[in-house]
Amino acid sequence: MNLILLGAPGAGKGTLAKKIVKDYHIPQVSTGDILRENIKNETPVGKLAKEFIDKGQLVPDEVVIELLKNRLSQDDCKKGFILDGFPRTIAQGKSLENIANIDGVILIDLPFNIIEERIVTRRVCSSCGEIYSTSSYDKNDCKKCGAPLYQRDDDKLETVRNRLEVYDRQTAPLINFYSDRVYRLDGSGSPEDVYARAKTFLDDLEAKSE
Ligand code: AP5
Ligand code: MG
C-alpha cells in the first residue's frame, strides 16, 4: 500500500503516520525528518535546507525529489510506504508519478486556528522522534526512550503563519491533482479518534492494493 498524507503543517500527519506504521507495517517517509537529519549532521543538503526551513519556505523541488527517490529505493519501501510531507508542490506530484504508483491520499482537515495552537505546543523526542504536546504531556523527557524532548526551530508563531500561507499557495492545489483518490479525514478530536476514522479507509485500501 503506497499512501500519501496530505495536510497543512501541524494537521497531524506525523502523529497519524506513526500509528499506521505500527499496524500496517509500512515505513513512514517524512521529507521533513530527512531534511532535519541532514541539518543535524551538517551535510551540504542540510546547510542549504536550513535557510529555507527557518523562514517557513519550501526547500527547492530538485533537492527534495532526489532525497525522496533515494529513500524510496531502499528495501523497506518495497512493500509500501507512507509519504508524510511529500509531495508539496504540483511539480513534486508530477515527479512522483515517475517513481511510484500511489494507491490513496489522506487529506487531514483541520481549521488553521487549532493548527497554530497544536504547533506551538509541540515537542519532539531528540532520539526516537515521538511527537508530544505540552497540553497533554508536560515532562521534558520521552515517555518511550527517555531522551530529551525539543521544540523545532520552525515552530515559532511567525514561522508557522508563513508555513500555513505557503501551504495554501503551493501545496493545497495537490488536493485537486489527486481528486480521483483523495479521502478527506476530519483531523479534530484525539489522535485515537482521528486514527479510528482513518482505519476504515486504510483497511479498504489495503484490501484493494493486495
Ligand atoms: P515537515 O516536517 O513536513 O513539517 P510540516 O508539513 O510543516 O508538518 P508538521 O510536521 O509541522 O506537522 P504534522 O502534520 O506532522 O503534525 P504533527 O503530527 O507533528 O516539514 C518541515 C519543513 O521542511 C517545511 O516547512 C519545508 O521547509 C521542508 N520540507 C519538508 N518536506 C518538503 C518537501 N516535500 N518539499 C519542500 N520542502 C519540504 O502534530 C502537530 C502537533 O499536534 C503535535 O504537538 C501533536 O502532538 C499534536 N497533535 C497531533 N494530532 C493531534 C490530535 N488529534 N489532537 C491533539 N493534538 C494533536
Ligand atoms: Mg510532521
Side-chain angles (χ1 to χ4, degrees):
M1 176 164 70
N2 297 343
L3 191 69
I4 292 176
L5 298 186
L6 206 59
K13 301 181 294 294
T15 302
L16 178 64
K18 288 191 165 43
K19 292 188 182 297
I20 302 175
V21 168
K22 264 193 221 142
D23 284 353
Y24 294 84
H25 313 290
I26 47 175
Q28 171 192 12
V29 174
S30 157
T31 40
D33 288 349
I34 297 172
L35 291 166
R36 280 185 289 278
E37 194 60 30
N38 273 275
I39 293 174
K40 196 165 108 191
N41 296 331
E42 298 182 359
T43 68
V45 164
K47 282 180 191 154
L48 180 129
K50 188 168 168 37
E51 304 218 354
F52 292 91
I53 293 179
D54 284 354
K55 288 188 221 144
Q57 292 169 356
L58 295 184
V59 174
D61 285 338
E62 57 278 14
V63 176
V64 191
I65 290 167
E66 197 52 34
L67 289 175
L68 196 268
K69 230 193 254 176
N70 286 339
R71 180 64 189 90
L72 291 190
S73 69
Q74 290 169 17
D75 276 352
D76 63 333
C77 293
K78 295 275 182 296
K79 280 196 181 153
F81 49 77
I82 309 154
L83 290 183
D84 161 7
F86 188 97
R88 259 182 152 93
T89 61
I90 295 287
Q92 291 179 18
K94 287 186 176 159
S95 297
L96 183 60
E97 290 184 326
N98 302 319
I99 306 173
N101 289 321
I102 298 303
D103 301 304
V105 179
I106 293 182
L107 167 67
I108 308 182
D109 239 348
L110 200 67
F112 277 10
N113 62 326
I114 301 181
I115 283 183
E116 282 185 0
E117 166 73 22
R118 282 193 188 176
I119 296 190
V120 295
T121 59
R122 171 169 50 197
R123 299 292 179 274
V124 185
C125 173
S126 54
S127 176
C128 72
E130 189 65 21
I131 304 163
Y132 295 95
S133 169
T134 55
S135 58
S136 53
Y137 184 75
D138 62 1
K139 306 215 168 50
N140 298 320
D141 301 319
C142 180
K143 222 191 285 188
K144 293 201 166 155
C145 72
L149 306 184
Y150 75 101
Q151 181 168 31
R152 276 169 44 178
D153 284 343
D154 60 345
D155 279 354
K156 287 176 289 205
L157 196 55
E158 324 81 85
T159 319
V160 170
R161 299 229 158 111
N162 204 16
R163 283 162 61 198
L164 290 172
E165 208 259 317
V166 165
Y167 170 80
D168 248 356
R169 198 162 20 94
Q170 295 185 266
T171 307
L174 283 164
I175 301 169
N176 250 340
F177 184 79
Y178 289 118
S179 60
D180 60 339
R181 64 203 109 155
V182 78
Y183 173 75
R184 264 180 198 271
L185 175 68
D186 174 3
S188 64
S190 70
E192 291 70 29
D193 291 341
V194 177
Y195 183 52
R197 279 178 223 126
K199 246 180 143 338
T200 320
F201 171 75
L202 289 168
D203 288 343
D204 200 37
L205 193 67
E206 195 183 39
K208 279 188 204 147
S209 58
E210 265 166 10

